């Protein structure tokens, strides 16, 4: 009955179209009242939910990504990817995926990835003879890898939701393998369609121009080197690397590229703070919700339920995958990570599955949800930028959904894809 009151009130508030963050907080208060816990204990958990040093990584990485996105980095990365793969048949679609890979390793956000790369490449691909719906589908599906590769904001959220028992550095390094696998599979799909549909070849860029493009892109790509190199060398922590990334992004944007106007900086800061305020409120209320769930012993009850279904870890992982895929289509990624991680972590640790590995499984699942209707935020942004209807975009995405599901199965059942690099580098 306790679980029904807490989860039922949350679902009811969501159905009444209350924002997820406030639904979490109010349902936590209802649950506390039901089990006769003082309401001020919930408020203490709300404050404690955001009083963590590791959380500073989120605002800094978001700000660094915003500075680079609006400072001309996406255009330079597209040009750099064009030098590498733009000359083959279907080259612009490969450029799209590769540019998403580069930019995702700077922004850590699928939404920023889709908006930045899509605004540059979707019109260009259409001009070169690619169908607009295909261009949009490539942009949207390719952006999923930004959730996996460092500096993924969602990896920080998963570490937080896991109670700090999973290091952010381990999750960052673990995301490189799945992220590169996803990009490789997407590029394979693009090559297949390019040959089947006779998409055009790109032009070989002259050496002098190619060198200039590479040098310009190198300044932005150094952000990845600073983040990963600093963490792996022990010079700074994952959280400290975020602040260093902001300083570097600001220096490159304002003093090297100089495409961005100083008078625009206050507006950029305002947009970033608005975005972060939503995220931090969500984290605060999710902390109180998780606290009440723990008092009601909901995680242990869920663990028992899964173990009664089967004692085979592979079967349980498949059940969890289907559950995450379904929920990912109905709710945004961040609240699902904060809600489900405390529930599912005891299940997977009881089965002997590494929490870092499970973090990658969760991120891939929920990343697919971001590009799937009815509430796929990245899908909506991509369709809006591509000026294509949601229905047309989803139809073009169908073969990419199949490819993404195969990547999910590989990440789920081949732990080495996620765990080999952390075991070598950390």
């Amino acid at each position: 009955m306790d679980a029904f009151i807490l989860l039922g009130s949350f679902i009811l508030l969501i159905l009444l179209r209350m924002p997820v963050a406030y639904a979490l907080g109010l349902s936590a208060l209802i649950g506390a009242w039901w089990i006769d816990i003082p309401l001020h204990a919930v408020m203490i958990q709300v404050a404690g939910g955001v009083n963590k040093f590791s959380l500073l990584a989120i605002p800094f990485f978001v700000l660094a990504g915003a500075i680079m996105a609006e400072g001309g980095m996406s255009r330079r990365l597209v040009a750099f990817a064009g030098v590498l793969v733009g000359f083959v048949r279907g080259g612009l679609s490969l450029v799209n995926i590769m540019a998403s890979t580069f930019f995702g390793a700077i922004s850590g956000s699928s939404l920023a990835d889709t908006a930045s790369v899509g605004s540059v490449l979707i019109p260009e691909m259409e001009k070169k003879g690619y169908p607009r719906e295909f261009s949009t589908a490539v942009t949207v599906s390719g952006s999923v890898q930004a959730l996996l590769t460092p500096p993924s904001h969602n990896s920080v959220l998963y570490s937080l939701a896991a109670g700090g028992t999973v290091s952010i550095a381990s999750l960052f390094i673990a995301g490189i393998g799945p992220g590169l696998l996803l990009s490789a599979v997407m590029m394979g799909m693009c090559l297949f369609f390019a040959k089947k549909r006779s998409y055009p070849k790109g032009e070989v860029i002259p050496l002098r121009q190619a060198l200039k493009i590479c040098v310009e892109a190198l300044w932005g790509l150094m952000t990845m080197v600073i983040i990963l190199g600093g963490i792996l060398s022990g010079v700074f922590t994952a959280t400290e690397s975020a602040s260093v990334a902001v300083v570097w992004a600001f220096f490159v944007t304002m003093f090297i590229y100089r495409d961005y106007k100083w008078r625009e900086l206050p507006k950029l800061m305002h947009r970033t703070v608005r975005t972060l305020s939503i995220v931090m409120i969500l984290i605060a209320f999710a902390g109180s919700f998780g606290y009440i769930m723990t008092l009601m012993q909901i995680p242990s009850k869920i663990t028992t339920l899964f173990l009664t279904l089967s004692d085979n870890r592979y079967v349980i992982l498949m059940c969890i995958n289907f559950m995450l895929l379904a929920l990912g289509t109905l709710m945004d990624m961040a609240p699902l990570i904060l809600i489900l991680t405390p529930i599912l972590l005891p299940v997977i640790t009881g089965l002997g599955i590494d929490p870092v590995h499970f973090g990658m499984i969760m991120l891939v699942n929920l990343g697919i949800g971001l590009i799937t209707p009815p509430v796929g935020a990245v899908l909506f942004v991509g369709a809006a930028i591509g000026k294509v209807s949601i229905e047309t975009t989803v139809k073009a995405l169908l073969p990419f959904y199949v490819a993404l599901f195969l990547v999910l199965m590989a990440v789920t059942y081949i732990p080495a894809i996620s765990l080999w690099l952390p075991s070598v580098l950390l």
Side-chain angles (χ1 to χ4, degrees), residues 54-74:
S54 59
L55 270 180
L56 287 173
I58 295 177
F60 281 127
F61 278 135
V62 170
L63 180 57
I67 292 172
M68 298 299 276
E70 299 190 24
M73 186 67 243
S74 56

Side-chain angles (χ1 to χ4, degrees), residues 217-364:
L218 188 62
W219 290 101
L221 292 172
M222 278 297 294
T223 310
M224 295 185 291
V225 177
I226 290 170
I227 293 170
L228 287 179
I231 293 172
L232 294 176
S233 64
V235 174
F236 39 69
T237 66
T239 303
E240 292 163 347
S241 73
S243 59
V244 176
V246 170
V247 175
W248 178 255
F250 179 80
F251 170 74
V252 171
T253 299
M254 305 309 296
F255 297 100
I256 304 297
Y257 294 156
R258 293 184 291 184
D259 289 349
Y260 203 69
K261 302 293 189 295
W262 286 87
R263 64 175 179 270
E264 297 293 326
L265 277 176
K267 295 179 182 178
L268 184 147
M269 295 294 293
H270 176 69
R271 288 193 296 271
T272 303
V273 169
R274 285 189 62 184
T275 301
L276 289 170
S277 63
I278 297 169
V279 174
M280 300 308 281
I281 290 171
L282 177 61
I283 292 171
F285 286 133
S288 63
F289 189 84
Y291 171 68
I292 299 300
M293 278 200 306
T294 303
L295 292 180
M296 291 180 171
Q297 299 182 331
I298 291 176
S300 61
K301 293 174 183 176
I302 297 292
T303 302
T304 303
L305 175 63
F306 270 108
L307 292 177
T308 56
L309 294 175
S310 174
D311 57 358
N312 188 313
R313 69 161 69 183
Y314 302 111
V315 174
I316 293 177
L317 277 175
M318 184 60 73
C319 293
I320 291 175
N321 274 327
F322 284 129
M323 182 185 74
L324 290 173
L325 284 172
L327 291 174
T329 66
L330 301 174
M331 193 184 297
D332 201 13
M333 189 172 193
L336 281 174
I337 291 174
L338 293 169
I339 294 168
L340 294 177
T341 301
I343 294 175
L344 295 177
L345 210 56
V347 178
I348 63 103
T349 52
L351 294 170
I353 298 167
D354 193 297
V356 173
H357 176 211
F358 181 69
M360 296 303 107
I361 296 173
M362 178 175 276
L363 292 183
V364 176

Side-chain angles (χ1 to χ4, degrees), residues 122 132-133 136 380 382-393:
I122 292 176
R132 185 170 277 268
E133 60 272 18
T136 305
F380 295 155
I385 292 171
K387 298 177 182 176
V388 184
S389 69
I390 298 296
E391 294 80 6
T392 304
T393 305

